[in-house]
C-alpha cells in the first residue's frame, strides 16, 4: 500500500497540463462540459503573474515530453494488471494513454 501511495504521489499533480493548449479537444468543442473546462482554465490563468501566451508557449513545447514520461510511469506501474484484466498490450496502453494526454489532457 505504501509503495502504491508513493507512486501515485509521484505521478499525480504532474499528470495534466495546467494550461489549455490549443489542440486539446475541449478547446474546440462547443458542448457545455467543454465550455466549463475552458472557463476553469481561464479562471486559473487569471491568478498567474506570467502572461498566458508565455505559459502556453512553454507548455506547448514541454507537455509532449511530460506526457510521455507520465504515460511511461503509469504503464510501468499498472500495465501488467491492465493487461491481465483487459488483454491490452503495454505498447497499446502507452499509445492510447499518450494520445489522450496530448489531445484531451
Amino acid at each position: 500500500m505504501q509503495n502504491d501511495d508513493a507512486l501515485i504521489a509521484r505521478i499525480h499533480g504532474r499528470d495534466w497540463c495546467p494550461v489549455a493548449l490549443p489542440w486539446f479537444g475541449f478547446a474546440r468543442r462547443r458542448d457545455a462540459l467543454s465550455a466549463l473546462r475552458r472557463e476553469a482554465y481561464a479562471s486559473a490563468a487569471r491568478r498567474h503573474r506570467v502572461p498566458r501566451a508565455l505559459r502556453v508557449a512553454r507548455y506547448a513545447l514541454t507537455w509532449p515530453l511530460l506526457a510521455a514520461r507520465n504515460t511511461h510511469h503509469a504503464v510501468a506501474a499498472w500495465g501488467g494488471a491492465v493487461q491481465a484484466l483487459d488483454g491490452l498490450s503495454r505498447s497499446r496502453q502507452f499509445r492510447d494513454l499518450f494520445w489522450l494526454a496530448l489531445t484531451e489532457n
Side-chain angles (χ1 to χ4, degrees), residues 73-103:
H73 287 307
V75 171
W78 299 295
V82 172
Q83 188 172 13
L85 287 172
D86 295 329
L88 291 174
S89 69
R90 289 178 188 233
S91 61
R92 177 63 190 252
Q93 292 175 48
F94 183 89
R95 191 171 57 241
D96 290 349
L97 288 173
F98 185 61
W99 179 252
L100 285 172
L102 289 180
T103 61

Side-chain angles (χ1 to χ4, degrees), residues 5-86:
D5 292 340
L7 182 62
I8 290 169
R10 188 178 75 192
I11 294 173
H12 186 71
R14 292 176 280 171
D15 59 350
W16 58 278
C17 185
V19 297
L21 297 175
W23 60 79
F24 288 161
F26 66 87
R28 296 182 305 275
R29 287 191 297 264
R30 298 295 166 219
D31 60 287
L33 183 57
S34 295
L36 183 63
R37 287 181 73 185
R38 286 191 302 274
E39 181 54 36
Y41 275 92
S43 175
R46 288 191 285 271
R47 292 190 303 257
H48 288 277
R49 293 188 179 116
V50 178
R52 181 183 179 279
L54 291 177
R55 293 179 71 229
V56 168
R58 174 185 170 221
Y59 281 103
L61 296 173
T62 60
W63 178 241
L65 300 173
L66 292 171
R69 185 201 61 197
N70 294 339
T71 301
H72 171 73
H73 287 307
V75 171
W78 299 295
V82 172
Q83 188 172 13
L85 287 172
D86 295 329

